[in-house]
Amino acid sequence: MNGRLKAAGGAVGGGLLVAGTTSDAGKSVVTAGICRWLARQGVRVAPFKAQNMSLNSFVTREGAEIGRAQAMQAAAARVEPTALMNPVLLKPGSDRSSQVVLLGKPVGELSARGYHDGRQEQLLGTVTDCLAELRRTHDAVICEGAGSPAEINLRRTDIVNMGLARAARIPVVVVGDIDRGGVFASFFGTTALLSKEDQALVAGYLVNKFRGDVTLLEPGLAMLRGLTGRQTLGVLPFAHGLGIDEEDGLRVSLRGAVRESVVAPPHGAEVLRVAVCAVPLMSNFTDVDALAAEPGVVVRFVDRAEELADADLVVLPGTRGTVRALEWLRARGLADAIARRAAEGRPVLGICGGFQILGELIEDEVESKAGTVEGLGLLPVRVRFAAEKTLARPAGTALGEPVEGYEIHHGVAEVTGGDEEFLDGCRAGSVWGTHWHGSLESDGFRRALLRRVAADAGRAFVPAPGTCFAALREEQLDRLGDLIEEHADTAALLRLIEEGVPDGLPFVPPGAP
């Protein structure tokens, strides 16, 4: 498989679209797994998602904002992430509107209706140009769809599922989550709701999260092939501990998943308990993944004041709605509980929006348009929201250790005091604040911070000296590659990538209305 793959046209690299019967069917995992499997074979592969709706984003080295799932998939492919891999990113600000990030830069705020009524169709050319460039420079591009390709109410303006597949003439594999039940109906119904032209691109299915004896599934797979004329290209087993970066902030990327793969006892005499406030529009909740990877650190997401009582560290994470999150904290009694912690010298860490909330004053005519709002007053910081978003990849030193991170924020912080500088923020007593996401992935810095937290909390906790977060993530990506290599029909997948859509795929009635 070494050397350049050729698609059906012979001039560009091969392509494949991984669609799903539903959201969270496993598209991100399968895409990453295929990327890692191909990369291990010496194939120059890149991930691609035309349009991503997520509050969990990342900044590339050229200063572009993309979904973290695509950055994770780029790591699986062993390539540097770029804006080409996620040309359209939608960042929800409410149930009805999102910030539109185009080629890594914000271009405005649009309602869902405004986006689907015209703007989305206009972006198809940009999307296909990005995909074409990736296919020109790589042997293969593995595309991820969004939601379901059978959203017939949105098909006219679709640029991420069948609309993309039609425009680029690439085959589609549909993933279904059997752990939810109804996977056969989902495969059949998804196919039967597509138009004849769209169905001609659906080349097969992948069952995800199967538990048990696969031979019991085989009669159903045979019947599905008889009904649709398409084979199932693999049955992937349910696998614990795959804590990859997810798109949806309503779910938690780890919930102990990295700990499941580490399976290590606390290094010291006691554990350290971390409570993360699950604020509205929570963004980049993956910041705490590195804490969960530490043996003896217990991370949980909370939304009640009483859940902070036994926490050794409280984290206020990033949010797309700083003022809204501040109001939520006050309404639920969490703001008062955090203030009491600070007065008692118990550790609190604010990251990005959480850092802004901990300050004295917030001037916001951009995000919430709420004007001047008082913060929690726990850090000597004043924040003014600027129209232009800060996107950066800073590096520096904190607590005597090297640190790298990334910044995604409209708020500009003016630090007027504090006991010590902390990255671009500060520390005041036991309260810490910074705009830097991803800083806890720097192993030496994370251990130094945990030692300070343990000392302030009076815990006999000692960070394990050998925990390497980057190595743990590589281990997880290799496990994704193993799932594909060991449980998918890799020869069939390779044929699709190299040769394109097979001829003679039958139409399954009734088709799209």
Side-chain angles (χ1 to χ4, degrees), residues 68 110 127 219 260 375 415 421 491 496:
R68 267 200 73 108
L110 275 179
V127 162
E260 288 180 27
V415 179
E421 293 183 1
L496 290 175

Side-chain angles (χ1 to χ4, degrees), residues 81-420:
T82 72
L84 291 173
M85 297 173 183
N86 180 205
V88 181
L89 174 63
L90 305 178
K91 303 194 74 174
S94 70
D95 292 339
R96 292 173 176 254
S97 67
S98 295
Q99 183 182 66
V100 180
V101 179
L102 180 61
L103 293 173
K105 303 296 180 184
V107 294
E109 199 90 13
L110 275 179
S111 68
R113 177 170 293 279
Y115 184 67
H116 287 288
D117 276 356
R119 180 60 167 162
Q120 188 176 31
E121 281 184 289
Q122 297 168 10
L123 295 174
L124 180 60
T126 299
V127 162
T128 54
D129 286 347
C130 290
L131 176 56
E133 177 62 17
L134 287 174
R135 295 179 74 183
R136 187 184 67 80
T137 55
H138 293 79
D139 300 331
V141 179
I142 309 303
C143 308
E144 179 187 346
S148 163
E151 305 287 359
I152 55 178
N153 57 314
L154 302 176
R155 176 60 185 89
R156 180 181 61 82
T157 58
D158 171 48
I159 64 172
V160 65
N161 290 307
M162 302 313 298
L164 176 70
R166 286 267 291 275
R169 293 300 303 170
I170 54 176
V172 178
V173 173
V174 181
V175 178
D177 180 358
I178 197 170
D179 198 50
R180 293 182 172 187
V183 74
F184 293 117
S186 297
F187 283 144
F188 182 84
T190 296
T191 308
L193 274 178
L194 300 179
S195 69
K196 183 176 181 179
E197 294 78 10
D198 285 351
Q199 285 192 29
L201 300 175
V202 176
Y205 311 110
L206 269 171
V207 175
N208 192 30
K209 299 184 184 178
F210 179 72
R211 306 173 191 251
D213 184 351
V214 73
T215 61
L216 299 176
L217 200 62
E218 289 172 354
L221 300 179
M223 285 187 276
L224 180 67
R225 183 167 188 176
L227 289 166
T228 66
R230 292 156 174 86
Q231 69 180 97
T232 299
L233 303 175
V235 178
L236 309 183
F238 191 101
H240 293 281
L242 298 179
I244 64 167
D245 298 347
E246 297 187 29
E247 296 172 358
D248 190 349
L250 295 177
R251 301 187 70 244
V252 178
S253 65
L254 289 181
R255 290 282 182 171
V258 168
R259 291 278 292 110
E260 288 180 27
S261 63
V262 175
V263 193
H267 192 68
E270 293 185 288
V271 301
L272 205 65
R273 295 174 175 84
V274 178
V276 185
C277 295
V279 297
L281 299 175
M282 181 169 55
S283 62
N284 290 77
F285 53 92
T286 47
D287 282 333
V288 298
D289 286 2
L291 295 179
E294 283 283 349
V297 176
V298 180
V299 177
R300 67 184 189 274
F301 285 70
V302 304
D303 58 7
R304 296 191 299 270
E306 56 269 26
E307 294 178 291
L308 303 187
D310 66 344
D312 301 307
L313 171 66
V314 169
V315 177
L316 285 178
T319 171
R320 170 86 162 87
T322 299
V323 171
R324 178 176 166 182
L326 176 58
E327 293 170 347
W328 181 86
L329 289 167
R330 285 178 167 142
R332 300 182 77 89
L334 285 158
D336 289 339
I338 291 168
R340 287 194 297 271
R341 287 183 62 87
E344 295 165 0
R346 302 171 68 196
V348 177
L349 170 65
I351 302 173
C352 200
F355 167 43
Q356 297 165 6
I357 286 169
L358 292 170
E360 298 168 344
L361 209 63
I362 300 169
E363 296 178 27
D364 182 11
E365 298 292 350
V366 175
E367 190 175 77
S368 68
K369 298 181 172 56
T372 301
V373 178
E374 288 188 7
L376 297 186
L378 303 180
L379 287 176
V381 174
R382 292 177 171 242
V383 176
R384 176 184 56 81
F385 274 67
E388 188 166 339
K389 182 186 284 190
T390 296
L391 297 170
R393 287 281 292 269
T397 302
L399 304 182
E401 298 286 347
V403 192
E404 293 183 357
Y406 57 99
E407 296 183 63
I408 306 170
H409 54 91
H410 283 278
V412 179
E414 178 189 1
V415 179
T416 60
D419 298 321
E420 65 177 302

Side-chain angles (χ1 to χ4, degrees), residues 32-55:
I34 294 175
C35 284
R36 176 50 59 103
W37 160 63
L38 288 172
R40 292 197 301 210
Q41 310 306 312
V43 174
R44 293 177 297 172
V45 59
F48 180 78
K49 185 159 186 173
Q51 172 193 295
N52 194 348
M53 178 172 281
S54 178
L55 289 171

